[in-house]
Amino acid sequence: MAKTSHAPSPDLDAIWSALAEHARDIGEQHMRDMFAADPGRFDRFSLSLGEILLDYSKNRITVRTMELLKDLAEQAGLKEWVARMFSGERINNTEGRAVLHTALRAPADAQVMVDGRNVIPDVHRVLNQMEDFCARVHDGRWTGHTGKVITDIVNIGIGGSDLGPHMVSTALRPYWKDGLNAHFVSNVDGTDINETLAKLDAQTTLFIIASKTFTTRETMTNAHTARQWFLDNSGNDHSKVCRHFVAVSTNASAVQAFGIDRENMFEFWDWVGGRYSLWSAIGLPIALIVGMDNFRQLLAGAHEMDVHFRGADFPENMPVILGLLGVWYRNFLGVSNHAILPYDHSLRLLPAYLQQADMESNGKGVTRDGRPVDYATGPIIWGQPGTNGQHAFFQLIHQGTELVPADFILPARTHHPISEHHEILSANCIAQTEALMRGKTEQEVREELAAAGLDKERIEALTPHKLFPGNKPTNTLLLRQLTPFNLGKLIALYEHKIFVESVIWNINAFDQWGVELGKQLADIIETELDSARDCTGHDSSTNGLVNYLKRQ
Ligand code: G6Q
């Protein structure tokens, strides 16, 4: 249960209490009644931005809720925080870094200063380098070592160096270049690289080693396995490696030590966080597979959302609305989680992508200045594409005991207009949001069962099971079509939503110290797994598990 008793800072005590009281007031109200009382509810609680429509009317909110939430954002200094982020201030205070993924999609004539230097020319220099490289791969000037054209791109990276490019490349499948395939290897489990390499020809494969640090254990292990496979399949000639391996990194010396030419390294900067990096050279696999024009469209879409986020008043600001609704459910209605439900098979990796973006950003238990929080922060993010989820976990959303606010995402037009597939998909998406909101009343259930000819006793027995309480909140995001531009906009919408929440919660959304401890302990255990001696230095469970593995 979320804690609602404390505000993130004393300045917010009054508005926090007002929201808590308001939550108690509207707690019993049903959205079915809210819609019945107000035919203008959709118009009031929806807005369009170009080809994206957000309908947030199926939320447990009133005009008063949105006013109070807007006051909360104002009093938390959201406007100032947005300006700080865009201007390159070091708002990632624990790592002493600026947070400038927005600069990666800014036009060439923009100016964003970091340490007295405008970073935009660097951004566009690397974009041009990517453009040149993509053109050479596409038109056959860049070939494999035997002169054959490249047919397969393999991105080796993990976390932020994998999830974004993988999700976007999958989402933009209709835009893939003819004759090219993309593969993504992330897991250190040898199954991942083994299954990928089995499909490939060393003469026509290009590996991108994507690692900001170029030290990440999983990525370097996979990169070395890929290089060995390449050498084994190309006469063990090390001089050929540079035609088949390029790198995306901030660590030039480690890239060169691996055998990749400096000129085939695509740079990015410490002010690009891993999970916000798909807009940088980390997007190289995207640019290769869909073409640089489409990659630039992705950036342009994200930039349009940046301009909107920076300039629109809070009541008309899409990321602000979504972020404030997130806070509303988490802190005032006791909600623990949030589902991402794309009704588009191409967006099937979006839930996993947003899981990292949101949970790594807002999964924090201390404030910016290191005090433990006594209120709830980031929720659990989960989800799967529709309609598959309807035949699985939707049962819990409809009739379980956990409240699950959900985002439904649907393109109006499909890239695959085959028979009635898209009508069925769309109908299900909209029907679910209606069903979740309305539910089914006892009277409706009884009438339905009576109409089906059931006797009184059977109706009595079945009615509680067939009741749908409804009042389940959803946002619906309709995209005209899943284009690179609209996808860029959609991703940026979520990035900014996450930032809005972090500002209200007074936490640093841009560090991730929580991933460190496991890495440290894994290094120790790896050495122990290799040693001939029994492991004794841990608790009995850890010792027991290590020793069991050693005996196998
Ligand atoms: C993201 C995280 C993390 C990171 C990976 C890969 O914000 O920092 O997911 O992207 O650990 O790191 P490298 O790119 O340095 O290999």
Side-chain angles (χ1 to χ4, degrees):
M1 182 73 184
K3 304 164 190 169
T4 55
S5 51
H6 292 95
S9 75
D11 307 349
L12 299 179
D13 273 347
I15 184 69
W16 204 258
S17 302
L19 274 157
E21 195 183 320
H22 175 66
R24 282 190 290 275
D25 289 347
I26 82 162
E28 298 307 312
Q29 288 183 44
H30 199 293
M31 280 190 271
R32 199 190 305 123
D33 303 323
M34 295 181 185
F35 272 98
D38 177 10
R41 191 171 165 88
F42 170 76
D43 292 333
R44 198 179 318 288
F45 296 128
S46 65
L47 75 156
S48 292
L49 182 57
E51 297 189 353
I52 298 188
L53 167 80
L54 165 65
D55 170 20
Y56 62 102
S57 61
K58 290 188 180 110
N59 276 292
R60 294 188 186 180
I61 54 165
T62 62
V63 170
R64 174 92 181 123
T65 320
M66 295 316 289
E67 279 169 4
L68 287 169
L69 288 170
K70 178 185 78 90
D71 291 348
L72 173 65
E74 278 168 3
Q75 292 176 33
L78 179 60
K79 211 160 189 51
E80 293 73 22
W81 277 105
V82 172
R84 282 174 172 173
M85 178 172 76
F86 276 89
S87 69
E89 206 177 293
R90 292 178 189 275
I91 61 168
N92 176 356
N93 59 318
T94 62
E95 296 182 321
R97 290 175 180 167
V99 175
L100 280 177
H101 43 283
T102 52
L104 298 167
R105 51 230 192 185
D109 58 358
Q111 202 188 55
V112 181
M113 307 298 284
V114 176
D115 294 334
R117 179 185 163 91
N118 181 14
V119 299
I120 300 296
D122 289 336
V123 167
H124 283 265
R125 175 178 49 76
V126 175
L127 283 173
N128 293 339
Q129 183 196 2
M130 289 166 67
E131 181 147 45
D132 176 60
F133 180 70
C134 290
R136 285 190 289 146
V137 171
H138 293 151
D139 67 20
R141 276 176 290 151
W142 179 292
T143 62
H145 68 281
T146 56
K148 289 191 177 174
V149 295
I150 298 297
T151 57
D152 292 89
I153 313 288
V154 183
N155 190 75
I156 298 181
I158 196 165
S161 300
D162 166 73
L163 286 161
H166 195 177
M167 183 273 286
V168 171
S169 301
T170 306
L172 298 181
R173 186 71 180 80
Y175 296 84
W176 281 22
K177 293 271 176 193
D178 284 345
L180 261 187
N181 273 309
H183 313 265
F184 292 83
V185 173
S186 56
N187 201 326
V188 73
D189 181 342
T191 311
D192 198 0
I193 187 126
N194 213 32
E195 287 183 355
T196 306
L197 294 177
K199 296 180 252 180
L200 301 173
D201 176 350
Q203 297 178 74
T204 57
T205 299
L206 177 72
F207 293 93
I208 302 171
I209 313 301
S211 176
K212 185 170 169 180
T213 53
F214 227 72
T215 56
T216 303
R217 201 67 212 281
E218 294 92 330
T219 300
M220 297 326 295
T221 305
N222 278 323
H224 282 103
T225 300
R227 187 174 61 177
Q228 193 54 52
W229 170 86
F230 172 76
L231 289 169
D232 292 347
N233 287 282
S234 58
N236 207 27
D237 183 348
H238 286 253
S239 70
K240 293 172 182 163
V241 167
C242 61
R243 298 232 36 99
H244 292 267
F245 286 79
V246 300
V248 181
S249 188
T250 56
N251 186 348
S253 53
V255 167
Q256 269 169 318
F258 184 86
I260 293 174
D261 280 350
R262 178 71 184 79
E263 69 204 51
N264 297 331
M265 173 180 141
F266 298 82
E267 184 193 2
F268 63 119
W269 307 274
D270 74 352
W271 42 262
V272 183
R275 56 192 171 277
Y276 297 90
S277 66
L278 73 88
W279 321 100
S280 71
I282 286 289
L284 183 63
I286 306 171
L288 277 167
I289 199 70
V290 300
M292 196 66 193
D293 292 356
N294 285 319
F295 187 68
R296 287 190 189 274
Q297 280 293 304
L298 184 83
L299 300 182
H303 178 66
E304 188 170 284
M305 186 55 76
D306 294 341
V307 171
H308 166 77
F309 179 49
R310 211 173 172 180
D313 291 340
F314 290 167
E316 281 88 44
N317 193 312
M318 242 186 227
V320 172
I321 291 168
L322 288 185
L324 291 175
L325 288 171
V327 169
W328 172 239
Y329 288 113
R330 187 80 178 109
N331 298 106
F332 302 101
L333 296 185
V335 161
S336 63
N337 74 111
H338 187 96
I340 304 290
L341 307 171
Y343 275 63
D344 185 324
H345 193 64
S346 312
L347 286 175
R348 61 191 175 277
L349 299 184
L350 185 68
Y353 171 79
L354 290 178
Q355 227 164 30
Q356 182 194 27
D358 201 319
M359 293 171 77
E360 207 167 59
S361 297
N362 285 341
K364 307 290 162 62
V366 294
T367 59
R368 300 181 150 273
D369 52 3
R371 284 174 294 113
V373 299
D374 51 10
Y375 45 88
T377 60
I380 296 160
I381 304 293
W382 63 287
Q384 272 192 37
T387 62
N388 295 10
Q390 290 175 211
H391 300 267
F393 54 79
F394 269 53
Q395 165 64 37
L396 183 148
I397 307 183
H398 280 290
Q399 289 188 311
T401 53
E402 196 74 27
L403 186 61
V404 183
D407 292 354
F408 284 72
I409 304 166
L410 172 75
R413 292 174 171 211
T414 176
H415 286 286
H416 303 285
I418 315 161
S419 74
E420 73 269 34
H421 286 259
H422 196 64
E423 283 71 25
I424 297 173
L425 180 76
S426 308
N428 272 277
C429 176
I430 307 297
Q432 283 296 329
T433 70
E434 185 183 25
L436 287 164
M437 183 275 288
R438 287 192 77 254
K440 198 184 272 183
T441 63
E442 191 175 328
Q443 191 187 342
E444 286 166 345
V445 175
R446 285 178 187 281
E447 282 169 8
E448 202 175 275
L449 294 177
L454 271 69
D455 62 36
K456 206 163 164 271
E457 199 182 332
R458 196 76 188 118
I459 292 175
E460 220 43 57
L462 274 182
T463 297
H465 300 278
K466 292 198 154 237
L467 265 178
F468 285 70
N471 213 18
K472 312 286 187 188
T474 59
N475 295 309
T476 304
L477 283 157
L478 296 184
L479 278 57
R480 185 163 186 269
Q481 187 161 33
L482 189 60
T483 59
F485 188 89
N486 287 339
L487 180 61
K489 237 164 120 171
L490 181 72
I491 301 168
L493 168 63
Y494 277 101
E495 287 179 345
H496 296 322
K497 172 206 165 169
I498 292 164
F499 179 57
V500 168
E501 293 177 330
S502 77
V503 169
I504 307 288
W505 291 327
N506 189 24
I507 55 177
N508 180 1
F510 302 107
D511 60 10
Q512 56 284 313
W513 300 104
V515 299
E516 294 300 321
L517 178 61
K519 283 192 204 169
Q520 286 166 7
L521 295 184
D523 285 345
I524 297 171
I525 290 178
E526 196 185 327
T527 318
E528 288 166 347
L529 282 170
D530 267 347
S531 142
R533 276 189 317 219
D534 254 16
C535 172
T536 55
H538 305 267
D539 57 88
S540 63
S541 161
T542 308
N543 288 335
L545 294 169
V546 170
N547 291 329
Y548 180 87
L549 280 180
K550 282 157 75 93
R551 282 197 295 278
Q552 307 309 307

